[in-house]
Amino acid sequence: MARLQYCRCFPPDFIKAVSGALSKSWVNITSKDIPADAPEGSENWFVMVNVPTHTGQDWEALIPAYKKAVLEKLGKVLNKQIEQLIETEKVLTPTGIEAATSSLGGSLYGTSSNSRYAAFLRHANESSKIRGLYFCGGSVHPGGGIPLCLLSAKIVSDLIK
């Protein structure tokens, strides 16, 4: 698995600039470290834009606005317009995530973590109803994000031992 990081080719202040300009987005270009991840002479950009779960939004209508805003911000940060450089793209919306993974509302991180009590309301790592059933990932204890998902897997591994 490639590391999620900002590319070495950007100026040193890139991370700071992206933090402000794309505060709810992530950019990952694995072909900077693993050239085989993209065709020769090209790059593979993964841009994740955090959006709310699906609650009836018209994603087909919203996608162009999100895309325009992200491309404008990336253009400002990089001082280069990149839209004309896109050869192919795939857009995955919360409805697509829900269809592919059965994640309620297409949530990447499980239930909302916007309250001070959210951490205490996450699903436990071990079922209280079915012996030998364990849970790990971003929607259970200790929470979302790669480090916490890995910790969740470690917790389950320790429970099984």
Side-chain angles (χ1 to χ4, degrees):
M1 176 181 272
R3 293 172 288 151
L4 182 62
Q5 65 181 24
Y6 294 103
C7 148
R8 290 187 301 268
C9 66
F10 294 128
D13 62 346
F14 175 73
I15 293 174
K16 182 178 179 186
V18 168
S19 295
L22 298 173
S23 61
K24 299 208 177 223
S25 301
W26 297 91
V27 177
N28 186 20
I29 311 170
T30 61
S31 59
K32 295 294 183 184
D33 286 328
I34 307 166
D37 281 358
E40 191 171 335
S42 297
E43 296 178 332
N44 65 328
W45 286 49
F46 173 81
V47 180
M48 184 176 81
V49 180
N50 286 340
V51 297
T53 58
H54 179 64
T55 57
Q57 299 93 322
D58 182 354
W59 292 104
E60 294 307 313
L62 292 171
I63 289 168
Y66 275 110
K67 180 179 175 180
K68 181 179 183 218
V70 169
L71 288 171
E72 284 177 0
K73 288 180 181 182
L74 281 170
K76 286 178 187 174
V77 170
L78 300 173
N79 198 28
K80 179 177 183 155
Q81 297 306 309
I82 61 169
E83 185 169 16
Q84 70 277 8
L85 301 173
I86 299 172
E87 294 179 17
T88 62
E89 70 180 10
K90 179 180 180 182
V91 176
L92 189 58
T93 63
T95 53
I97 293 169
E98 184 173 34
T101 68
S102 297
S103 171
L104 182 63
S107 173
L108 290 178
Y109 305 112
T111 55
S112 174
S113 58
N114 295 329
S115 79
R116 68 177 113 174
Y117 304 108
F120 304 105
L121 300 174
R122 288 192 185 100
H123 197 285
N125 297 99
E126 186 173 8
S127 174
S128 60
K129 297 179 181 176
I130 302 172
R131 188 173 162 215
L133 179 60
Y134 301 92
F135 309 97
C136 71
S139 61
V140 299
H141 177 74
I146 291 172
L148 294 179
C149 287
L150 291 173
L151 183 55
S152 178
K154 170 82 169 92
I155 291 168
V156 168
S157 175
D158 291 345
L159 288 170
I160 292 172
K161 289 181 182 177

